[in-house]
């Protein structure tokens, strides 16, 4: 905003229109939605409430707060980090630097685990291991949907575990989800075994893909949650060697994968009878298999 525009008295709708056009000029996708969510955050109003109060003038203090957030967005800092939360599986989760921002595509991973739990009706308690829990979104979403679930959520990042703890407490899932600091690329704790299900949205971006990621991801989201080695396969190679140790006989695993990974993934998990599932866009998204 120019010096002249700062002195101007802005109504909500005027500021929304100006911001939407400005963000579009700066090639920020979904510019209108960005404008609505940023302004709604400053004013503590829903998107509907913004338009109900469309002719309300903004205070200078509100305008300054909005300008501060807008400047952050113009650096391509993710909108979710600026707001401090995002939605996943119809639930709100706190997010921030240090955790991967949950994507809608990952919801199919949760759905497949829930389906598996429903089929295993003979188990009084279903022990689930969530590897690389990040914000805890997968663990919490499963635990809220499956009352018999006992989820151990592990991550190598202390920063991620702090955010996951906040989300677990917010959703009152402390009795169902247990956090553990653990790097699955190193020696595993002795108690990390006898699980019925393993689930993970692991790092699977190859080195060549990583450098070409959009600026919002490359500059702001944690590299260790994205980068999966030269071919993006490091996690799958590591976990396939430990599957029989971690899972009970007849246990199941569900891992998110990259679009072009189906054939090499099937090869890695060949002895576990792998099946590939696609997302709603028809892209390869999930590999699942069983130890028996």
């Amino acid at each position: 905003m120019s010096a002249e525009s700062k002195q101007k008295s802005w109504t909500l709708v005027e500021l929304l229109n100006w911001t939407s056009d400005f963000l579009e000029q700066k090639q920020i996708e979904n510019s209108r939605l960005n404008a609505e969510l940023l302004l709604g955050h400053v004013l503590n109003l829903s998107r509907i409430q913004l338009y109900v109060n469309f002719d309300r003038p903004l205070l200078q203090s509100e305008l300054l707060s909005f300008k501060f957030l807008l400047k952050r967005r113009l650096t391509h800092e993710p909108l979710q980090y600026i707001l401090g939360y995002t939605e996943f599986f119809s639930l709100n989760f706190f997010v921030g630097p240090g955790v991967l921002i949950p994507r809608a595509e990952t919801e199919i991973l949760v759905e497949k685990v829930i389906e598996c739990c429903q089929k295993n009706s003979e188990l009084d308690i279903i022990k689930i291991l969530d590897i690389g829990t990040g914000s805890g979104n997968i663990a919490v979403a499963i635990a809220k949907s499956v009352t018999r679930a006992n989820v151990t959520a592990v991550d190598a990042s202390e920063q991620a575990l702090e955010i996951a703890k906040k989300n677990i407490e917010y959703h009152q899932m402390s009795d169902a989800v247990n956090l553990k600091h653990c790097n699955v690329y190193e020696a595993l704790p002795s108690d990390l075994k006898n699980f019925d299900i393993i689930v993970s949205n692991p790092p699977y971006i190859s080195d060549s893909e990583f450098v070409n990621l959009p600026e919002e991801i490359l500059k702001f989201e944690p590299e260790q949650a994205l980068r999966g080695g030269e071919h993006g396969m490091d996690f799958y190679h590591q976990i396939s060697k430990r599957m029989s140790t971690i899972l009970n006989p007849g246990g199941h695993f569900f891992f998110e994968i990259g679009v072009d990974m189906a054939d090499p993934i099937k090869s890695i998990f060949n002895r576990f009878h792998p099946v590939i599932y696609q997302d709603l866009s028809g892209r390869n998204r999930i590999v699942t298999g069983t130890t028996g």
Side-chain angles (χ1 to χ4, degrees):
M1 296 178 186
S2 65
E4 181 182 349
S5 65
K6 283 191 289 185
Q7 298 304 315
K8 164 182 166 60
S9 177
W10 293 82
T11 64
L12 268 62
V13 73
E14 286 174 335
L15 189 58
L16 282 173
N17 291 337
W18 182 90
T19 304
S20 179
D21 291 342
F22 184 66
L23 289 174
E24 187 172 4
Q25 291 170 18
K26 298 297 181 180
Q27 298 182 321
I28 302 289
E29 292 185 3
N30 301 312
S31 60
R32 187 73 182 190
L33 179 61
N34 274 251
E36 293 168 348
L37 291 176
L38 288 173
L39 186 55
H41 185 68
V42 168
L43 302 178
N44 196 27
L45 296 176
S46 69
R47 292 168 65 195
I48 293 175
Q49 289 172 325
L50 288 175
Y51 290 101
V52 171
N53 297 277
F54 72 95
D55 58 349
R56 182 202 133 177
L58 278 90
L59 302 173
Q60 280 300 309
S61 59
E62 294 170 336
L63 197 59
L64 287 172
S65 296
F66 179 77
K67 181 184 176 185
F68 175 73
L69 298 188
L70 182 59
K71 281 185 174 180
R72 289 173 61 184
R73 189 68 186 101
L74 291 172
T75 68
H76 290 276
E77 181 178 354
L79 179 66
Q80 296 91 335
Y81 285 174
I82 297 171
L83 300 177
Y85 66 89
T86 192
E87 185 179 291
F88 177 82
F89 216 71
S90 299
L91 301 168
N92 279 335
F93 287 92
F94 300 109
V95 292
V99 296
L100 195 69
I101 296 169
R103 267 74 170 178
E105 301 82 39
T106 302
E107 292 183 0
I108 188 176
L109 191 64
V110 173
E111 290 169 357
K112 291 298 178 184
V113 173
I114 293 171
E115 287 175 11
C116 182
C117 291
Q118 291 170 341
K119 291 175 183 176
N120 283 275
S121 57
E122 75 282 358
L123 296 174
D124 293 330
I125 297 176
I126 303 175
K127 289 186 62 180
I128 301 172
L129 176 63
D130 174 25
I131 300 177
T133 194
S135 64
N137 60 301
I138 292 173
V140 169
I142 291 170
K144 285 189 77 71
S145 300
V146 182
T147 56
R148 296 176 294 132
N150 184 303
V151 186
T152 297
V154 305
D155 206 291
S157 166
E158 294 282 8
Q159 189 177 8
L161 290 172
E162 283 296 318
I163 295 176
K165 182 175 184 289
K166 189 176 178 182
N167 281 314
I168 291 166
E169 291 175 349
Y170 174 76
H171 288 288
Q172 301 180 323
M173 287 287 109
S174 297
D175 290 340
V177 182
N178 308 297
L179 289 175
K180 182 182 285 289
H181 183 254
C182 173
N183 188 336
V184 295
Y185 296 100
E186 299 173 356
L188 297 178
S190 59
D191 60 347
L192 214 66
K193 59 184 179 181
N194 300 129
F195 288 95
D196 302 302
I197 294 172
I198 305 175
V199 60
S200 182
N201 177 16
Y204 56 78
I205 305 297
S206 68
D207 289 345
S208 59
E209 290 172 322
F210 180 78
V211 296
N212 293 311
L213 288 174
E215 189 175 0
E216 288 190 16
I217 300 174
L218 192 60
K219 282 179 60 178
F220 293 96
E221 296 198 59
E223 181 175 336
Q224 68 179 27
L226 294 162
R227 203 163 188 166
E230 182 180 1
H231 302 293
M233 298 285 180
D234 286 3
F235 169 83
Y236 308 108
H237 283 294
Q238 280 288 337
I239 202 66
S240 67
K241 299 171 187 175
R242 303 177 176 197
M243 200 78 73
S244 298
T245 303
I246 301 173
L247 274 178
N248 286 326
H252 302 268
F253 64 86
F254 299 85
F255 302 142
E256 187 162 327
I257 64 173
V259 173
D260 300 320
M261 288 184 170
D263 289 338
I265 287 290
K266 284 181 178 179
S267 177
I268 292 171
F269 295 110
N270 182 54
R271 69 185 187 279
F272 301 112
H273 319 291
V275 176
I276 304 294
Y277 288 99
Q278 297 179 330
D279 60 22
L280 295 177
S281 301
R283 297 172 178 171
N284 295 324
R285 184 63 61 183
I286 306 294
V287 61
T288 183
T290 178
T291 54

